[in-house]
Amino acid sequence: MIKRLLLVLASASMLLINTARAETSPDTDLVLLTENFPPYNMAKDGKNFAKGENINGIATDIVREMFQRAGVTYSLTLRFPWERVYKLALENPGYGAFVMARLPDREKLFKWVGPIGPDDWIMLAKADSKITLETLNDARKYKIGAYKGDAIAETLTKQGLKPMVVLRDQDNAKKLVNGQIDLWATGDPAGRYLARQDGVTGLKTVLRFNSAELYLALNKDVPEETVKKLQAALDQMRKDGVVDDIMGRYL
């Protein structure tokens, strides 16, 4: 049994290493990874793997413009699940992941460029729900759905709320409508956008419990000069109104 477990762990480690090697290109400065997280980043065909121009969204468009202005080359891949994206960016020099909430326990793990956009944390309920919440503590008695590996789910778990996690956040929309969960802990505007994509509308916000900013997180080995170039490009885009224009195309 122990030997079998060790073989499984070794295989998983080799998969991550091979993935990293396959995505590294001598022709690009950085390898960027993202996930399906509409409207910030998403595969055009809705699948869980895409590369290059087959990826769009608010953050993707902002990142493309930012890298062009900064004169930094990159490759872009959308993968699944988020935990894998996070691990690859954390462990591989020259890698980055977006969009990521910049939290205190992540601060020293990455170099950051942003903010790219807001991500308020909310509790959604069905339109006819009688649930009312004043504080996060009031949600303890309810079944809460969240997204595995996401900062929201991690925060709820640390506070002892024990969310029921899924691999795709949009699955929580139908779970909520079907009565499998009472509340959906998600981001705003991402949660509402995902719900609409699955034909779910009319959800109501019963609690807004945090405001986070979303960033491009770069591996700590990325040169500081590169980070500064990207940050300066993003700052200028915001002054020029480009960031607002991009958001306006999706929201």
Side-chain angles (χ1 to χ4, degrees), residues 114-209:
I116 292 174
D119 185 37
D120 284 357
W121 295 0
I122 58 175
M123 289 284 185
L124 290 174
K126 292 191 294 184
D128 60 355
S129 174
K130 304 299 182 185
I131 296 175
T132 59
L133 304 175
E134 294 294 331
T135 67
L136 195 57
N137 192 57
D138 296 337
R140 291 183 183 277
K141 59 184 177 182
Y142 298 107
K143 290 182 291 184
I144 304 170
Y147 175 32
K148 186 176 182 182
D150 183 54
I152 298 175
E154 291 175 357
T155 299
L156 294 179
T157 299
K158 288 176 182 178
Q159 297 191 25
L161 270 73
K162 300 179 181 178
M164 301 166 60
V165 296
V166 294
L167 290 177
R168 303 188 322 146
D169 201 20
Q170 53 264 51
D171 292 341
N172 282 310
K174 289 188 175 177
K175 288 183 70 175
L176 185 60
V177 171
N178 294 335
Q180 295 171 272
I181 56 176
D182 304 310
L183 297 166
W184 176 16
T186 186
D188 186 24
R192 295 182 187 282
Y193 185 94
L194 289 171
R196 285 198 303 271
Q197 296 298 103
D198 268 14
V200 178
T201 59
L203 302 179
K204 65 179 181 180
T205 301
V206 294
L207 182 67
R208 193 172 296 270
F209 61 97

